[in-house]
Amino acid sequence: MLKATGIGIGAGATALATPTALATPAEAAGAPLAHPGLLHTRADLDRMAAKVKAGARPYAAGFAKLTANRHAQSGWRPNPQAVVYRGSGTPENYRILYNDIHAAYQNALRYHVSGEEAHADTAVAILNAWSGKLTGLEGSADRFLAAGLYGYQFANAAELVREHGDFDLGRAQELMRTVFHPLSDDFLTRHNGAVVTNYWPNWDLTAIACVLATGIFCDERAVVERAVEYFKHGDGMGSVKHAIPVVHEGGLGEWVEAGRDQGHALLGVGLMGTVCEMAWNQGIDLYGYDDSRFLKGAQYVAKWSLGGDVPYTANTRRKGAIGGWSGSETASGVAGVDPSMTRPIWAMIANHYTKRRGLPASYLTRAAAKAAPEGGGGDYGPNSGGFDQLGFGTLAFTRDRVEGAAEAPSPSAAASDARGARPHASATPVPGDDLAATGSGDAVGWAAAAGVGVVAGGLLLLRRRGWGG
């Protein structure tokens, strides 16, 4: 079982476990967290607004995708519930929650780009309604997925309106502390009473995303460090070296869940990218951790999802409950793929590595170009899998190449340097030495993405209900 290293966060926290306190690095203790500082910084929001106002491509297409979504309309009315259920054998109503959260996020993002205050007011009304009523998440093991996914998403929507005069910030923070975070932190500690390898990587990654988002949104530095430590060294399948257990010659990092199916592998890459981006905006470089291991894993999944051949090392993992039933499962090769299946995950990851860092990543740029303009919740079908990512990456994460990108610091690096907590260094390959290059360079992929028209994105083709598990 995973070592008990979680922490409580605040007087109102629900104690699902009695973990030991996570040591906080002395240089980071007491350092202020940046706001807005989850998926979007102030510079990001200003860039989006300026680019859309200028009619720049592909931002204009990305914004058109946002404004066409029914969730991004100022007439949206919330339907808060006291208890949200997810999982078989329960009166499931979690769809209400994820639809409302995506409406809040999309209206808040639309406000920052357009300046139309009605959209900010709508986002605030949705978030205030839920923070004033939601008291618990229940159901089968899927309740942990609900906590992780909808927790990190609620925090991101709320972060965009945290300075709005009518927004109840304190109540939203209390909701994160007492409803979403406890389940996610407990999962990283206990894994629902199962052996630590019972759950595939995306389960851990939903929980890491929620714990990290809670720490940032609630200004709890120790909670941020808890998520970062688990990403690097956690015992579960979602820590980076367990999710990407093998790095092959040529630079592709084997994504273990590719032995399961495509939908869950895409989910995992999107979640790990979300964790890396939120950490980056606080001056913590998880993108570059362990010689940019995530880049290698994302390249692997991008190539595979585009129909390319990738290696896979057979692996067997233990399953079952501690003190109860037990067994094992072997994944012997990569699952089949449908090249038309997509999730709105690629723009954020590709832009980080190629534009911020100046690293070659041709599979990522090709995947991002193919998916552009990325939509969000409501654009990829009605089921939960289409709402696992907040999306709109073409609008939100397209960026110009940073001068001297290979040495570019994170947005909070200056503040980090001042307090002595420096980001980890990223790997810097020799220019032109692509990680498993295909002959189609980044410039070709980005040219295709920049020229995208205002068209509907591809449908997320999910073969079964709810890819979240």
Side-chain angles (χ1 to χ4, degrees):
M1 270 300 287
L2 180 64
K3 301 178 184 67
T5 57
I7 55 173
I9 61 163
T14 301
L16 295 186
T18 310
T20 57
L22 183 71
T24 304
E27 67 270 22
L33 295 167
H35 298 290
L38 287 170
L39 284 175
H40 313 301
T41 66
R42 173 57 55 196
D44 292 333
L45 297 169
D46 290 346
R47 180 187 67 250
M48 292 179 229
K51 294 286 190 179
V52 169
K53 183 177 180 180
R57 295 187 302 174
Y59 300 90
F63 186 61
K65 192 76 175 175
L66 173 64
T67 59
N69 193 301
R70 72 183 185 91
H71 295 76
Q73 310 310 312
S74 61
W76 187 278
R77 296 294 178 265
N79 183 19
Q81 307 290 304
V83 179
V84 166
Y85 300 89
R86 176 169 175 166
S88 59
T90 64
E92 290 190 310
N93 61 352
Y94 68 101
R95 295 170 183 81
I96 299 172
L97 175 59
Y98 69 64
N99 275 281
D100 274 1
I101 289 175
H102 280 257
Y105 172 77
Q106 291 181 28
N107 272 279
L109 189 62
R110 186 170 178 177
Y111 158 71
H112 280 287
V113 176
S114 71
E116 298 173 272
E117 293 185 3
H119 293 289
D121 294 341
T122 297
V124 167
I126 296 168
L127 296 167
N128 281 348
W130 278 94
S131 69
K133 188 165 185 177
L134 182 62
T135 59
L137 301 171
E138 297 182 12
S140 67
D142 283 6
R143 70 190 184 279
F144 294 107
L145 296 176
L149 290 167
Y150 313 137
Y152 95 77
Q153 292 173 359
F154 183 94
N156 268 277
E159 182 79 351
L160 293 179
V161 295
R162 68 182 293 138
E163 295 181 357
H164 190 287
D166 294 331
F167 178 56
D168 195 329
L169 174 61
R171 199 167 70 190
Q173 290 174 325
E174 187 69 4
L175 181 65
M176 291 299 302
R177 289 186 176 108
T178 62
V179 175
F180 293 113
H181 174 270
L183 280 168
S184 291
D185 188 72
D186 185 68
F187 186 83
L188 295 180
T189 304
R190 303 180 190 275
H191 286 89
N192 196 30
V195 296
V196 74
T197 56
N198 184 76
Y199 291 97
W200 288 98
N202 72 83
W203 288 78
D204 269 359
L205 287 165
T206 62
I208 296 170
C210 179
V211 171
L212 179 60
T214 301
I216 296 169
F217 181 64
C218 296
D219 287 303
E220 297 275 2
R221 169 67 62 177
V223 179
V224 172
E225 295 298 334
R226 155 71 159 150
V228 170
E229 175 66 16
Y230 195 96
F231 176 94
K232 294 178 179 179
H233 305 299
D235 290 344
M237 297 281 282
S239 61
V240 66
K241 292 183 182 180
H242 290 150
I244 310 168
V246 180
V247 175
H248 294 279
E249 185 176 355
L252 288 180
E254 185 175 302
W255 192 268
V256 68
E257 208 153 357
R260 182 187 185 189
D261 56 54
Q262 183 185 6
H264 286 100
L266 291 171
L267 169 60
V269 170
L271 288 168
M272 190 170 284
T274 294
V275 169
C276 289
E277 185 69 17
M278 293 190 297
W280 175 269
N281 288 334
Q282 297 300 327
I284 303 166
D285 188 3
L286 298 182
Y287 277 118
Y289 177 71
D290 192 27
D291 196 30
S292 296
R293 196 178 191 94
F294 176 50
L295 167 60
K296 298 165 187 176
Q299 281 268 83
Y300 177 99
V301 174
K303 179 183 181 182
W304 170 59
S305 293
L306 290 166
D309 294 328
V310 292
Y312 192 85
T313 306
N315 65 84
T316 299
R317 63 191 184 93
R318 291 182 58 224
K319 298 176 63 178
I322 296 174
W325 71 273
S326 63
S328 64
E329 181 178 49
T330 298
S332 57
V334 292
V337 298
D338 180 348
S340 65
M341 182 186 289
T342 189
R343 286 177 182 258
I345 64 175
W346 299 115
M348 176 176 66
I349 304 168
N351 272 277
H352 172 80
Y353 285 116
T354 67
K355 300 297 183 65
R356 277 186 183 143
R357 304 304 309 184
L359 302 178
S362 60
Y363 296 124
L364 288 175
T365 55
R366 286 172 56 195
K370 184 176 180 180
E374 288 180 353
D379 290 320
Y380 300 91
N383 295 329
S384 60
F387 291 81
D388 287 341
Q389 282 81 34
L390 290 168
F392 300 104
T394 306
L395 168 66
F397 302 110
T398 299
R399 59 186 74 250
D400 297 326
R401 173 72 177 265
V402 175
E403 187 70 24
E407 294 79 34
S410 67
S412 299
S416 297
D417 288 347
R419 65 179 183 251
R422 297 176 184 271
H424 295 282
S426 292
T428 307
V430 176
D433 183 18
D434 200 347
L435 295 174
T438 63
S440 175
D442 296 329
V444 175
W446 286 129
V452 69
V454 183
V455 296
L459 180 67
L460 178 61
L461 301 174
L462 300 182
R463 302 286 187 224
R464 42 189 123 136
R465 182 179 65 82
W467 279 106

